[in-house]
Amino acid sequence: MPTPMTHRIPNNHVYYLGDDTALCLDLGSLINQKGLTLRIFATPDALAAATAQTAPAVLILEMSKIPTGTTLEPFLNGLLANAEQRPELLCIAAQEAIETRLHAMRAGAQGVYLDPVSAGDLAQRVAQLSGIDGASRYRVLVVEDDPAQAKYVALLLRNSNIESQVVGEPLKVLDAIRSFRPDLVLMDLYMPDANGDELTAIIRDQDAFLDLPIIFLSSELDLDRQMDALRVGGDSFLAKPVQRKLLVDSIDHRIRMARWLRERRLAVSRRDAAAGLLQTDHFMRHLDRCVRASKTPGEVGLLLIEIDSPQATLDRLGFDGTDRLSRRLEVELSNRMTPEECATRLGDFSYALLAKRDDTRALLDLAERLRHLLADTGSADRTGSPAEATEYKTTVSIGIGRFAPAANDALTMLSRGQKAAMAAQAAGGNRVQFWEPAVTPGQPAQADAQIRTLIEGAIGRQGLMLLFQPILSLGQDAGELYEVQLRLRAPDGEHIPPHDFLPVAERTGLMPTIDRWVMQHAMDVMDVQRVAHPRLRLLVHQTLTAVAAPQWLQWFRDQIVQRNLIRLRPLLALRMGEILGDLDTARPLMANLRNYGVQVCIADYSGSPAERQILAEFAVSLVKLATHTLTNSEQGVLAGIIRDLHDLGSAVIAAGIEDPDTIARVWNCRPDFLQGNYLQLPSTELNYDFAKAEYLA
């Protein structure tokens, strides 16, 4: 890892020239946690006066503040003429234009953001430009009663540019944590007055220290005793004597992990200050957790709220009036949400509300009240006579997506709500519509026939759709790796998840056709995205039967050659269960794939002796753990499975990361890749910021 820098920040001032008070409210809160202070200026003159007194570390400029007829560079030169030091510059533009970016670059801007701006992204960039990220060393509290051992460990840390403080009396550990404020505690296990595991339990009982990383450093070699210590709240265990590199790497690993989790929790819990709405990605993750959770009392539904005739509304109200309308809609939503409910803004004219009420009738009543309230809110934004207000009254349509039958994921629930809202608008608007399934539930034979018809029609009319979920590397540079996932789009717009239609496809012999469609379209994506994503790799699932079919391998090679994907070829994913079920087919197939240089990932690995024997025989480079293995195995067992796979020469994907607890437990087992909805939900876009996530590695 890079050696931490020890320079001091010149100052902690950040200046903002602009009018986006909502952004400034969030930004100020975020950077204040990092020791930075935000000042907001409405006019260039006010900013120039302040800069003459104290130059900021970073200046954020809304480019709309540049006077007409003036370009950015001379504007800045005049603005900062009396500044002692030129600040780092970030710009916010109202619309995308290469000329805007060119002017900003020539003026020395470190970045141009398009409005609306993510406060989190902006805060992170401000922290980097201010020097805050590298301004302080790690701080480690060493709890060790042996003076010689404590001196040795402190020396190792100092030589690695890590600040440390030693506590030789175990009962003073809480006072030391409060005064020293460490990033991590290095804890001996056996000490007088109190053992390390007892102290750890006490530390974990303090809410303020719940997320403080604790590493045990002890001569104890008994694995059961080590596990006992970890169960009370330790994050990892190192045996004495410890090598400097292992100690420093473990400290770095745990501190970065703790910081990342802390930032994620802060982001997830942060609501829009004005209206109490969640950011869309946070809302979708919460929705996904609700979909996967067990049944709760009452009725839960997803309300999709769409403004009817949005273009007509925009034409009548203009941009300012439409913005005021949106803000009032958000306030009405916020006022009627219970603490268990949440909402988000999906687009310029649509909102989603995850509602929980006593029964279906109460859910419908909520939707009807919102419909009336939002329509009344819309009419309040008009000018003119009462007759005109009535004539141009804004209306909304609300679709209610139900959770039964099981939806599988958040995107499926979203499509249910959207489908119902579209139906309400198609019926004339200004009404509430419940979602109804495209496939008749409770009648297997009829459902199979319906799904088969949908699949056959989808293949011909592009009714299948690909989603992409990022797979994050924790070590080696693996480029931009995504898993390809499949959905079936019904004619009415509903997205049917794989477990609802792939079994039917298998029973009716349609899987080879689907597999070729998926592979072909995945390679089309790689071809189209080669410029925007030159390091893109896609993990594409195929069935054993399809890949083993005559001429498949030649077809695969032809597809690659046609698109010139020789160096960017997709990764092939085969399921372990299918391989075990047909070894006579799998053995020659794996040999052929290896001879042709096709990289294979074995998915759904659970660690059984039979599965391990297969991996030892096939020598695959990538293995994806079964979700039930990841979620149900104790940490020690899971770590053993991953170590064994590493011994076989296989890198390991730990998928199914759905919450902070899972990622914290899995992280210590040292997989090579992480994947799951906690990182990002599957999306039609290749928009995961791998560069931002590199500090996890």
Side-chain angles (χ1 to χ4, degrees):
M1 86 177 169
T3 302
M5 301 176 66
T6 57
H7 65 273
R8 295 185 61 82
I9 306 173
N11 63 61
N12 67 340
H13 296 287
V14 177
Y15 291 173
Y16 186 104
L17 177 60
D19 301 320
D20 194 337
T21 54
L23 172 63
C24 289
L25 188 64
D26 282 349
L27 178 64
S29 175
L30 290 172
I31 67 173
N32 184 256
Q33 299 169 19
K34 299 179 180 292
L36 298 170
T37 301
L38 179 69
R39 292 184 62 186
I40 307 167
F41 300 91
T43 66
D45 290 343
L47 174 61
T51 304
Q53 298 295 321
T54 304
V58 179
L59 170 62
I60 304 170
L61 172 67
E62 290 183 10
M63 299 188 73
S64 60
K65 288 293 184 178
I66 301 174
T68 303
T70 305
T71 58
L72 177 59
E73 192 168 8
F75 172 69
L76 282 174
N77 291 336
L79 193 68
L80 305 173
N82 298 319
E84 297 178 359
Q85 178 181 336
R86 190 98 171 184
E88 301 286 1
L89 175 65
L90 295 174
C91 296
I92 298 176
Q95 58 187 9
E96 180 65 88
I98 191 170
E99 293 83 3
T100 300
R101 294 189 179 275
L102 183 62
H103 290 154
M105 181 189 70
R106 289 173 175 171
Q110 297 296 321
V112 177
Y113 293 83
L114 292 181
D115 192 30
V117 183
S118 164
D121 291 344
L122 191 57
Q124 184 177 29
R125 187 63 175 138
V126 167
Q128 292 171 348
L129 294 176
S130 301
I132 207 74
D133 283 352
S136 61
R137 297 181 294 167
Y138 290 158
R139 299 163 64 86
V140 174
L141 185 69
V142 181
V143 186
E144 171 63 70
D145 67 301
D146 185 331
Q149 284 286 340
K151 184 176 180 180
Y152 171 71
V153 172
L155 180 62
L156 290 182
L157 297 178
R158 183 168 64 251
N159 290 339
S160 300
N161 203 28
I162 296 176
E163 184 179 353
S164 66
Q165 178 175 309
V166 175
V167 176
E169 299 179 46
L171 298 185
K172 294 184 178 180
V173 66
L174 290 180
D175 291 338
I177 292 175
R178 293 190 182 99
S179 61
F180 184 57
R181 301 180 66 83
D183 297 302
L184 179 141
V185 175
L186 205 57
M187 180 79 71
D188 188 18
L189 186 55
Y190 297 113
M191 295 176 290
D193 299 326
N195 286 335
D197 51 0
E198 295 173 324
L199 292 179
T200 298
I202 292 172
I203 292 171
R204 289 289 182 248
D205 195 42
Q206 312 292 309
D207 289 344
F209 309 144
L210 189 62
D211 294 329
L212 179 64
I214 300 175
I215 295 179
F216 285 103
L217 180 60
S218 172
S219 56
E220 178 61 73
L221 299 179
D222 183 82
L223 292 179
D224 290 336
R225 185 68 184 92
Q226 291 181 7
M227 289 303 298
D228 288 341
L230 293 176
R231 288 191 184 99
V232 301
D235 293 289
S236 58
F237 201 107
L238 298 177
K240 296 177 182 177
V242 64
Q243 294 181 350
R244 172 184 166 183
K245 185 178 186 306
L246 176 60
L247 176 64
V248 173
D249 286 351
S250 298
I251 289 172
D252 176 65
H253 171 82
R254 285 308 318 168
I255 291 176
R256 284 187 292 108
M257 177 64 189
R259 288 178 176 178
W260 184 70
L261 283 174
R262 190 156 47 243
E263 289 174 2
R264 296 283 295 194
R265 290 185 181 118
L266 285 172
V268 169
S269 63
R270 190 171 63 250
R271 283 176 175 259
D272 182 275
L277 305 188
L278 288 177
Q279 296 178 7
T280 301
D281 57 338
H282 301 152
F283 175 87
M284 291 298 289
R285 275 194 289 271
H286 179 69
L287 174 60
D288 195 73
R289 288 194 294 272
C290 292
V291 169
R292 297 170 189 274
S294 57
K295 177 69 175 177
T296 57
E299 182 74 14
V300 181
L302 181 67
L303 276 61
L304 250 294
I305 303 163
E306 298 273 0
I307 294 179
D308 295 327
S309 305
Q311 186 58 54
T313 299
L314 183 60
D315 292 342
R316 291 196 304 270
L317 302 181
F319 288 106
D320 290 342
T322 302
D323 184 62
R324 289 194 300 272
L325 171 63
S326 296
R327 292 181 183 276
R328 288 201 180 99
L329 294 181
E330 292 166 8
V331 170
E332 294 293 348
L333 281 175
S334 181
N335 289 342
R336 276 146 190 86
M337 286 191 297
T338 70
E340 295 178 295
E341 298 172 341
C342 60
T344 190
R345 183 172 182 170
L346 291 175
D348 291 335
F349 302 98
S350 62
Y351 295 83
L353 168 64
L354 182 58
K356 182 178 183 299
R357 297 299 156 113
D358 292 335
D359 50 36
T360 303
R361 181 71 249 179
L363 204 60
L364 179 61
D365 288 344
L366 169 65
E368 289 290 358
R369 286 200 305 275
L370 284 172
R371 183 176 66 82
H372 286 291
L373 283 167
L374 298 184
D376 291 342
T377 299
S379 63
D381 268 284
R382 289 163 184 76
T383 58
S385 67
E388 289 175 325
T390 302
E391 181 182 356
Y392 295 119
K393 182 176 181 180
T394 298
T395 62
V396 296
S397 293
I398 301 179
I400 305 178
R402 304 184 185 185
F403 278 69
N408 188 59
D409 59 24
L411 291 176
T412 303
M413 274 304 305
L414 190 63
S415 76
R416 290 179 178 182
Q418 289 172 334
K419 170 192 169 184
M422 289 170 60
Q425 290 183 324
N430 193 25
R431 66 193 65 206
V432 175
Q433 180 79 41
F434 272 102
W435 166 82
E436 297 296 339
V439 178
T440 306
Q443 303 178 36
Q446 182 177 351
D448 272 19
Q450 288 177 313
I451 290 177
R452 178 174 181 173
T453 300
L454 288 176
I455 295 173
E456 291 173 339
I459 293 173
R461 59 174 174 76
Q462 304 297 308
L464 295 173
M465 62 183 298
L466 298 183
L467 302 179
F468 307 93
Q469 187 169 54
I471 302 175
L472 177 63
S473 173
L474 297 182
Q476 61 181 342
D477 182 5
E480 299 181 16
L481 180 60
Y482 290 86
E483 180 184 65
V484 176
Q485 300 182 9
L486 185 64
R487 295 291 188 276
L488 171 62
R489 187 190 293 112
D492 57 12
E494 180 186 351
H495 296 171
I496 301 176
H499 71 75
D500 283 345
F501 72 89
L502 288 185
V504 177
E506 291 174 354
R507 290 194 294 268
T508 55
L510 291 173
M511 277 310 302
T513 304
I514 290 177
D515 279 346
R516 287 209 177 192
W517 188 96
V518 170
M519 181 61 75
Q520 184 174 349
H521 284 75
M523 287 191 280
D524 287 342
V525 170
M526 296 180 72
D527 187 19
V528 171
Q529 297 289 340
R530 68 170 72 239
V531 175
H533 299 272
R535 301 164 69 236
L536 176 65
R537 300 294 303 279
L538 296 182
L539 181 66
V540 185
H541 287 271
Q542 298 280 277
T543 59
L544 181 66
T545 303
V547 178
Q551 304 303 316
W552 184 92
L553 191 54
Q554 184 60 50
W555 171 84
F556 179 69
R557 285 168 53 84
D558 291 343
Q559 296 291 317
I560 289 176
V561 171
Q562 289 173 15
R563 298 170 178 80
N564 192 23
L565 296 175
I566 303 298
R567 299 181 61 187
L568 297 175
R569 65 184 63 185
L571 310 178
L572 192 64
L574 299 174
R575 289 182 171 80
M576 177 61 80
E578 294 185 35
I579 292 174
L580 284 175
D582 193 357
L583 284 174
D584 291 339
T585 299
R587 283 193 171 99
L589 172 63
M590 292 297 291
N592 283 336
L593 292 173
R594 186 163 51 249
N595 291 337
Y596 280 99
V598 179
Q599 187 176 358
V600 175
C601 169
I602 300 297
D604 298 334
Y605 179 79
S606 62
S608 71
E611 292 178 348
R612 188 191 187 282
Q613 184 177 349
I614 290 298
L615 289 186
E617 177 183 347
F618 290 164
V620 297
S621 59
L622 191 60
V623 174
K624 183 177 178 180
L625 298 177
T627 302
H628 66 84
T629 299
L630 183 77
T631 55
N632 298 330
S633 300
E634 290 188 0
Q635 187 172 352
V637 174
L638 184 61
I641 292 174
I642 293 175
R643 280 196 304 270
D644 187 51
L645 289 171
H646 287 163
D647 291 342
L648 291 173
S650 299
V652 181
I653 300 174
I657 305 296
E658 306 293 342
D659 51 56
D661 293 335
T662 302
I663 197 173
R665 180 173 62 87
V666 172
W667 182 280
N668 286 326
C669 298
R670 298 300 180 99
D672 303 277
F673 299 89
L674 294 179
Q675 179 190 0
N677 294 335
Y678 188 67
L679 299 179
Q680 189 182 67
L681 291 166
S683 170
T684 56
E685 304 294 329
L686 300 167
N687 58 5
Y688 187 71
D689 193 341
F690 286 90
K692 184 187 297 184
E694 282 181 355
Y695 64 90
L696 280 171

